[in-house]
């Protein structure tokens, strides 16, 4: 809701937090420069709570370096203010020139998992229709791609949580593999309080501190651990055989790969004691209501899809998915990580999870877009492969970036930065001067979360309304207005690229109708009326989402899975080491992740004084024995280096990490970018980079003035 109260009361707007995929409901009050936030008491996900980032979110609206006018790279190399027509004419002209000289795929688009559904949808349409390029992907490839690949193979459908978050309230046992919600999405912990937690993480995180059992595998060995857990489930007689026989297929092939993973062998590979493995399986197998949940720690590997598949296999053997009160899920990270990957900004997908390789899917979307299906390009490069190809002979010569900061967030960050510098044209749309924007030829200032309308889809598949509390500052446009203006300059009809989010959503509904992620029965009217609508939510015979009344699908697998035969699939997988293991030259595991007070690449949170005070700089966590071994002390500066590059960070000595491991958060810029030492090994199925394990060495670094 939004409107005026009684005399003297501030205008209030109900919307959602701009950060993680919980999408906590918030109420905004006040005017620009003095916006206050409070949590909504009746929203079931956050139940009147917010994390530190949510409480301070309005601060970014008043960031002193907010972008308020387009910037164009001048002859002297500086970014100089320009008018909108000048900037847009320049971009459109350069895009036409590059396409004419090098072909449509010489122009690329890189999107973000924080864009609204409407913006993600329009960005995919803009790339494939206005630009005619296959070269579009987004930073969600670095977040949910491994889980998406594994769960699609297992269940026939990728939805992070195929049940509402509130179902976790009734759990007896929850296994968290590579997830640290106490720091990454703190309000979720309210739903985990009644369960015994089994946490799998090399670090003793804040989540692990609350666990009944903490398993601490060496980085890169989660897959071996999952195989060992399934081995024990079978040998200890905990398999739900009736469920396996009636609701699944492929158990025997998956079990064949687990037979060699007896507990003592798993202990040798992972470092997790065999007795702890037995305890974990018995806790899960003996629970009346149990869940297995994975996070980035298990997924951001060159074998992340197989690792998630192994945990899915464990859950299936125990009879958890598709059962009321139990299940399997993955904890989506970015604010619209779920909707962002459904709406067509992923290299191989069209809206609704339709496939660019499927003729029927192409025909359906082409009809909605009013184009010939033959003109739609095929699948393009995945995110890292796209960034790696920039400026090369066969790669794109121009890149447009919306809602992402790959200079900080991409693996091999120094290499990616050089590829961005090599472009003929780099265009960045953002609301703050991110590290990527600093390299751009043209910077376009766009609206922030509290200044725009739209929808987002939370980690539980619930479609939510974002409402504007403020109008954008003078000189700032919405992303939809930017894409509209460029599309028209590139020869598209004005009506083909609406600027009103409601109109875009209505088109999106038609494009997704009948698809796996079917939004056709959802409408702004129903969302504004307060209905809780989870996809799939198909339209009725009249095709009118406002009146169809389909209740949505909060629990998608209770009756059947999304494969044609209704059965879930076991996936045969086996353990393999990471791309590079520690050796004499690089004797430690380096792993990356998040801290409570910062978010993603830090472009937003590093502009909030309270958050900077809580986490002011990049740190490297290391065990006391490790610090002594390498001549480092608390508070000193260290260099964390791999074959790919070196990160400079301040030492934090803690027993929370294993002696063979160092941890560096990835939110910080410059020499403190954790992704300077991460590599380019990719998962063969998901194309996920191996963020979570690198072979590194640590050495003292002198203080810099």
């Amino acid at each position: 809701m939004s409107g005026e109260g009684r005399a003297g009361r501030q205008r209030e707007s109900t919307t959602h937090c701009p950060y993680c995929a919980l999408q906590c409901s918030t109420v905004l009050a006040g005017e620009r420069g003095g916006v206050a936030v409070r949590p909504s008491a009746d929203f079931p996900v956050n139940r009147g709570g917010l994390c530190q980032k949510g409480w301070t979110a309005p601060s970014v609206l008043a960031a002193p370096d907010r972008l308020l006018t387009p910037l164009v790279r001048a002859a002297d190399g500086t970014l100089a203010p320009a008018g909108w027509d000048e900037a847009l004419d320049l971009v459109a002209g350069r895009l036409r020139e590059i396409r004419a000289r090098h072909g449509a795929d010489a122009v690329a688009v890189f999107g973000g998992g924080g864009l609204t559904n409407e913006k993600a949808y329009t960005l995919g349409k803009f790339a494939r229709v206005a630009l005619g390029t296959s070269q579009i992907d987004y930073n969600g490839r670095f977040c949910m791609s491994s889980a998406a690949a594994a769960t699609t193979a297992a269940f026939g459908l990728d939805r992070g949580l195929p049940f509402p978050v509130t179902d976790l309230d009734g759990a007896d046992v929850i296994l968290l593999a590579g997830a640290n919600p106490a720091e990454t999405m703190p309000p979720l912990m309210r739903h985990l309080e009644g369960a015994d937690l089994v946490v799998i993480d090399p670090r003793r995180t804040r989540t692990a501190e609350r666990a009944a059992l903490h398993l601490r595998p060496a980085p890169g060995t989660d897959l071996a651990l999952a195989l060992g857990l399934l081995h024990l489930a079978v040998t200890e007689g905990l398999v739900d055989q009736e469920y396996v026989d009636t609701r699944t297929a492929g158990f025997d092939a998956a079990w064949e790969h687990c037979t060699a993973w007896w507990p003592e062998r798993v202990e040798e590979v992972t470092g997790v004691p065999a007795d702890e493995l037995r305890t974990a399986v018995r806790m899960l197998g003996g629970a009346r209501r149990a869940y297995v949940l994975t996070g980035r720690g298990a997924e951001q590997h060159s074998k992340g899809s197989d690792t998630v598949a192994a945990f899915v296999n464990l859950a299936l053997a125990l009879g958890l998915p598709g059962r009321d009160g139990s299940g399997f899920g993955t904890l989506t990270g970015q604010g619209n990580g779920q909707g962002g990957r459904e709406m067509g900004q992923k290299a191989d997908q069209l809206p609704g999870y339709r496939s660019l390789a499927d003729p029927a899917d192409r025909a359906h979307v082409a009809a909605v877009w009013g184009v010939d299906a033959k003109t739609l390009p095929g699948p393009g490069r995945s995110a890292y492969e796209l960034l790696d190809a920039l400026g090369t002979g066969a790669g794109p010569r121009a890149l447009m970036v919306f809602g992402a900061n790959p200079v900080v967030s991409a693996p091999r960050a120094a290499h990616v930065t050089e590829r961005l510098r090599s472009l003929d044209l780099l265009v960045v749309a953002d609301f703050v001067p991110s590290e990527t924007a600093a390299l751009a030829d043209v910077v376009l200032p766009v609206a922030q979360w509290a200044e725009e309308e739209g929808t987002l889809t939370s980690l539980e598949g619930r479609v939510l309304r974002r409402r504007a509390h403020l109008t954008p500052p003078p000189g700032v446009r919405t992303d939809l207005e930017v894409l509209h203006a460029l599309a028209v300059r590139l020869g598209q009809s004005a009506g083909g690229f609406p600027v009103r989010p409601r109109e875009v959503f209505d088109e999106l509904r038609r494009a997704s109708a009948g698809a796996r992620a079917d939004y056709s029965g959802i409408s702004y009217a129903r969302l504004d009326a307060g209905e809780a609508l989870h996809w799939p939510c198909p339209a009725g015979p009249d095709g009118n989402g406002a009146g169809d009344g389909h209740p949505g699908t909060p629990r998608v697998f209770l009756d059947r899975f999304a494969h044609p035969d209704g059965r879930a699939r076991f996936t045969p997988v086996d353990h393999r080491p990471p791309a590079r293991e520690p050796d004499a030259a690089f004797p430690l595991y380096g792993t990356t992740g998040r801290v409570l007070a910062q978010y993603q690449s830090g472009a937003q949170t590093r502009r909030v004084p309270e958050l900077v005070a809580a986490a002011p700089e990049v740190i490297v966590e290391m065990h006391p024995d490790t610090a002594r071994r390498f001549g480092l002390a608390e508070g000193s500066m260290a260099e964390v280096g791999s074959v790919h590059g070196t990160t400079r960070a301040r030492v934090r000595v803690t027993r929370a990490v294993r002696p063979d491991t160092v941890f560096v958060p990835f939110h910080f810029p410059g020499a403190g970018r954790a992704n300077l030492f991460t590599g380019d090994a990719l998962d063969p199925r998901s194309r996920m980079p191996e963020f979570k394990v690198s072979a590194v060495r640590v050495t003292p670094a002198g203080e810099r003035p």
Side-chain angles (χ1 to χ4, degrees):
M1 57 171 276
S2 177
E4 300 289 345
R6 292 188 296 270
R9 179 179 296 177
Q10 289 183 314
R11 184 175 63 87
E12 294 186 343
S13 304
T14 300
T15 187
H16 293 269
C17 179
Y19 293 118
C20 81
L22 282 182
Q23 283 300 290
C24 295
S25 182
T26 60
V27 179
L28 303 180
E31 301 303 324
R32 187 172 299 280
V35 175
V37 63
R38 71 174 188 271
S40 299
D42 58 350
F43 191 65
V45 171
N46 56 311
R47 292 176 175 164
L50 288 177
C51 74
Q52 189 177 18
K53 293 184 289 291
W55 280 112
T56 58
S59 295
V60 186
L61 298 168
D65 58 350
R66 172 76 186 271
L67 294 170
L68 298 172
T69 186
L71 302 173
V72 172
R73 186 75 59 184
D76 64 0
T78 62
L79 283 169
W84 271 102
D85 285 340
E86 176 189 353
L88 293 171
D89 287 346
L90 172 62
V91 171
R94 295 292 303 280
L95 291 174
R96 282 194 299 268
E97 176 187 331
I98 291 168
R99 289 172 65 206
R101 181 176 300 176
H102 301 287
D105 279 355
V107 176
V109 176
F110 196 85
L115 300 178
T116 63
N117 290 320
E118 292 80 1
K119 292 192 290 188
Y121 172 87
T122 302
L123 193 64
K125 180 180 180 181
F126 175 83
R128 296 178 176 109
V129 175
L131 296 176
T133 183
S134 67
Q135 301 301 294
I136 174 172
D137 210 67
Y138 78 126
N139 64 13
R141 178 76 66 172
F142 301 155
C143 180
M144 292 300 299
S145 58
S146 290
T151 55
T152 299
F155 307 132
L157 187 71
D158 162 35
R159 204 176 88 180
L161 294 186
F163 48 80
V165 165
T166 50
D167 283 5
L168 298 171
D169 295 340
D172 300 311
V173 176
I174 299 174
L175 183 147
L176 293 165
N180 181 21
E183 293 188 75
T184 59
M185 45 180 63
L188 180 67
M189 298 302 291
R190 296 180 174 216
H191 301 283
L192 311 184
E193 291 174 348
D196 286 333
L197 302 183
V198 178
V199 173
I200 300 172
D201 200 305
R203 301 168 58 226
R204 186 164 177 78
T205 62
R206 296 191 188 196
T207 305
E209 289 173 355
R210 298 171 64 170
L213 178 65
H214 178 202
L215 310 181
R216 303 182 70 174
T221 65
D222 304 76
L223 178 49
L225 189 149
L227 292 166
L229 294 177
L230 180 54
H231 180 106
L232 282 166
V234 174
T235 58
E236 300 222 348
L238 297 173
V239 173
D240 186 334
Q241 197 61 51
E242 181 182 0
Y243 175 98
V244 169
D245 290 342
T246 60
R247 299 206 62 189
T248 75
F251 172 79
D252 290 343
W255 163 240
E256 183 178 348
H257 287 274
C258 295
T259 55
W261 289 98
W262 55 88
E264 289 72 23
R265 184 188 179 200
V266 175
E267 178 176 350
E268 182 180 350
V269 172
T270 67
V272 177
D275 286 347
E276 292 185 2
L277 298 170
R278 292 187 177 95
T279 299
V281 169
R282 290 167 185 170
M283 289 174 66
L284 276 173
R288 186 173 59 91
R289 295 173 177 264
Y291 292 85
V292 175
L293 306 177
T294 64
R296 303 302 81 71
E299 299 161 11
Q300 288 180 322
H301 296 270
S302 60
K303 55 181 181 295
S305 297
D306 286 355
T307 302
V308 177
F311 282 108
V312 172
N313 289 346
L314 173 66
L316 289 172
L318 297 174
L320 305 182
R323 203 180 90 201
D324 189 20
S326 294
F328 175 89
T330 61
L331 298 177
T332 305
Q334 295 189 76
N336 199 31
Q338 182 70 59
R341 65 186 186 269
E342 298 162 3
M343 288 304 145
Q345 61 175 332
K346 197 174 179 183
D348 57 348
Q349 288 181 181
L350 291 166
Y353 277 139
R354 287 194 151 97
S355 170
L356 272 165
D358 184 286
D361 285 351
R362 292 170 62 89
H364 178 96
V365 174
V368 174
W369 289 350
V371 300
D372 187 335
K374 295 178 182 178
T375 66
L376 294 180
R381 294 178 174 93
S382 71
Y384 178 77
E385 292 164 305
L386 174 59
L387 296 171
D388 182 48
L390 296 176
T392 64
R397 305 297 312 174
L399 179 69
M400 303 183 67
V401 179
F402 287 78
N405 188 17
V407 166
V408 175
S409 64
R412 288 193 69 193
H415 171 70
V416 167
T417 300
E418 288 308 306
R419 299 273 38 89
L420 290 167
R421 292 184 188 277
S422 74
L423 289 166
D424 296 339
L425 177 68
L426 175 61
V427 181
V428 175
D430 212 329
F431 48 82
V432 292
S434 71
E435 289 70 28
T436 304
L439 301 181
D441 298 293
V442 180
V443 180
L444 304 174
V446 292
Q448 289 197 54
W449 60 284
E451 302 163 353
E452 64 179 8
E453 297 285 327
T455 62
L456 302 102
T457 306
S458 72
L459 80 171
E460 60 181 11
R462 178 170 171 173
V463 182
L464 303 166
R465 277 279 278 123
R466 172 175 284 180
R467 297 179 178 86
H469 180 70
L470 305 171
T471 56
V476 169
R477 297 189 181 184
T478 68
D479 296 83
L480 293 180
E481 289 171 336
V482 170
L483 292 170
H484 169 90
L486 287 173
V488 170
R489 282 170 168 80
L490 292 170
Q492 298 296 309
S493 68
F497 289 84
V499 298
R500 295 183 65 242
R502 188 181 298 261
E503 292 179 23
V504 176
F505 191 81
D506 285 342
E507 183 180 310
L508 175 163
R509 290 173 51 219
R510 298 194 301 275
S512 72
R516 285 177 292 173
D518 190 337
Y519 281 48
S520 61
I522 303 173
S523 68
Y524 273 37
R526 295 185 72 184
L527 295 175
D528 288 342
E531 292 192 59
L533 299 173
H534 302 70
W535 68 260
C537 183
D542 66 0
N544 182 351
D548 292 333
H550 188 286
T553 315
R555 298 170 186 85
V556 290
F557 302 134
L558 292 182
D559 298 322
R560 64 192 315 274
F561 294 98
H563 289 297
D565 62 2
R567 290 173 176 259
R569 305 285 195 267
F570 282 88
T571 303
V573 294
D574 207 347
H575 177 68
R576 58 186 183 274
R580 185 181 177 102
E581 293 190 284
D583 54 24
F586 299 95
L588 299 171
Y589 293 105
T591 190
T592 67
R594 286 171 50 188
V595 296
L596 176 63
Q598 298 289 347
Y599 180 74
Q600 302 300 84
S601 75
Q604 298 172 74
T605 50
R606 285 187 277 109
R607 287 172 165 81
V608 179
E610 295 93 329
L611 301 180
V612 172
E617 62 181 344
V618 64
I619 52 93
V620 52
E621 290 185 354
M622 63 182 66
H623 192 276
D625 293 346
T626 308
R628 283 191 294 270
R629 177 183 171 190
F630 294 100
L632 294 159
E634 175 74 25
S636 64
M637 295 301 295
E639 291 187 345
V640 183
S642 74
V643 295
H644 301 290
T646 300
T647 299
R648 182 183 169 90
R650 193 169 299 281
V651 173
R652 178 174 297 170
V653 178
T654 173
R655 294 185 181 276
V657 292
R658 296 166 48 111
D660 59 1
T661 302
V662 296
F663 166 80
V664 183
F666 65 87
H667 315 289
F668 298 92
R673 288 175 287 172
N675 283 316
L676 289 170
F677 69 72
T678 56
D680 56 3
L682 302 180
D683 183 296
R685 286 203 284 162
S686 68
R687 316 311 289 168
M688 169 73 81
E690 193 154 64
F691 289 105
K692 283 295 185 281
V693 57
S694 302
V696 301
R697 61 185 171 214
V698 293
T699 55
E703 292 282 355
R704 294 180 182 176

